Amino acid sequence: GENVEQHPSTLSVQEGDSAVIKCTYSDSASNYFPWYKQELGKRPQLIIDIRSNVGEKKDQRIAVTLNKTAKHFSLHITETQPEDSAVYFCAASKGRGADGLTFGKGTHLIIQP
Amino acid sequence: DGGITQSPKYLFRKEGQNVTLSCEQNLNHDAMYWYRQDPGQGLRLIYYSQIVNDFQKGDIAEGYSVSREKKESFPLTVTSAQKNPTAFYLCASSRTGTGSGELFFGEGSRLTVL
């Protein structure tokens, strides 16, 4: 089955700096890569996703890049703010069934004032 | 207000007891899921259902059971056979069950076995 590795497990950055979280996947058939954000005590929410027919997608301060050859994708957050502090999960799916979404173990992003 | 409602938010159980976690959605989604979240372990799939009266085991189904008698409801029973049931449980739904659409999560239920 699919295996998704996520690094780092904890990331601390100064407010205003950029943060990058990286994920690798094992199954070359995976074609859908979402990112979820979970603030402390709250439910995970989708913040951005990318499909395998594009290499990059942006939404204001966040962007995701995908390298299909190397089988890795990354989340980039620019101009970090205190409200960006949360746990971020990457995931990968072949899009062939409800059981197909495999999550990484999460990255705890800490924004230092 | 559309969304997913989980109850109870906190639950304590003695060893050897079964407990049922409730999950209701009013989003008219076809697919529903149960995930278990442990510190540093990400989200692991317990069971999922793509349509009413049908459900499938996920990666860690042992010691759990579910039912899907109504489209809106997908309760999870944690049985006494589950060896390490203390965890945070998240229910989710998606419009379809293709695995390539947004998941909408409930607020979670934290189960503690005493």
Side-chain angles (χ1 to χ4, degrees):
Chain A
E2 175 68 276
N3 182 44
V4 177
E5 300 278 344
Q6 183 172 349
H7 299 281
S9 57
T10 303
L11 177 60
S12 180
V13 301
Q14 291 292 125
E15 183 178 347
D17 288 349
S18 296
V20 181
I21 302 170
K22 299 180 180 180
C23 289
T24 60
Y25 60 99
S26 60
D27 193 334
S28 57
S30 289
N31 56 19
Y32 175 65
F33 307 93
W35 286 87
Y36 285 82
K37 175 184 180 182
Q38 186 177 26
E39 296 178 39
L40 186 62
K42 296 190 176 180
R43 69 189 81 194
Q45 290 187 300
L46 179 72
I47 55 171
I48 196 167
D49 58 12
I50 191 168
R51 298 182 191 274
S52 60
N53 57 345
V54 298
E56 184 175 5
K57 184 176 179 180
K58 290 183 180 179
D59 183 3
Q60 299 182 347
R61 294 188 298 108
I62 62 173
V64 57
T65 58
L66 172 65
N67 183 326
K68 287 189 294 182
T69 303
K71 289 190 280 189
H72 68 71
F73 56 111
S74 300
L75 177 71
H76 304 254
I77 305 174
T78 60
E79 300 173 5
T80 52
Q81 300 171 3
E83 55 264 37
D84 295 329
S85 292
V87 178
Y88 292 81
F89 294 98
C90 63
S93 170
K94 294 190 290 290
R96 295 177 189 168
D99 65 330
L101 193 63
T102 302
F103 284 89
K105 293 187 176 181
T107 296
H108 184 194
L109 176 62
I110 301 166
I111 308 300
Q112 302 279 5
Chain B
D1 237 1
I4 299 184
T5 303
Q6 287 186 241
S7 63
K9 194 169 184 178
Y10 298 96
L11 187 61
F12 297 89
R13 186 194 95 179
K14 293 182 180 179
E15 280 192 27
Q17 290 181 335
N18 292 352
V19 62
T20 297
L21 308 180
S22 170
C23 179
E24 302 278 331
Q25 55 102 355
N26 60 5
L27 299 168
N28 199 33
H29 284 173
D30 286 329
M32 296 187 74
Y33 314 78
W34 276 104
Y35 287 91
R36 172 175 170 146
Q37 185 174 20
D38 297 286
Q41 292 296 315
L43 302 172
R44 293 183 290 170
L45 183 63
I46 304 172
Y47 267 97
Y48 65 98
S49 168
Q50 292 176 281
I51 55 172
V52 176
N53 292 321
D54 185 58
F55 50 83
Q56 305 296 329
K57 292 181 179 180
D59 300 320
I60 56 167
E62 185 176 351
Y64 300 97
S65 66
V66 293
S67 63
R68 186 88 186 275
E69 297 176 2
K70 299 186 300 181
K71 188 175 185 178
E72 303 80 19
S73 179
F74 192 42
L76 174 74
T77 296
V78 184
T79 75
S80 57
Q82 168 51 233
K83 294 179 181 178
N84 186 20
T86 294
F88 188 59
Y89 292 89
L90 283 163
C91 179
S93 72
S94 63
R95 189 174 58 83
T96 66
T98 62
S100 60
E102 181 176 1
L103 292 179
F104 292 82
F105 287 90
E107 293 192 331
S109 294
R110 186 168 298 280
L111 172 63
T112 302
V113 175
L114 305 173

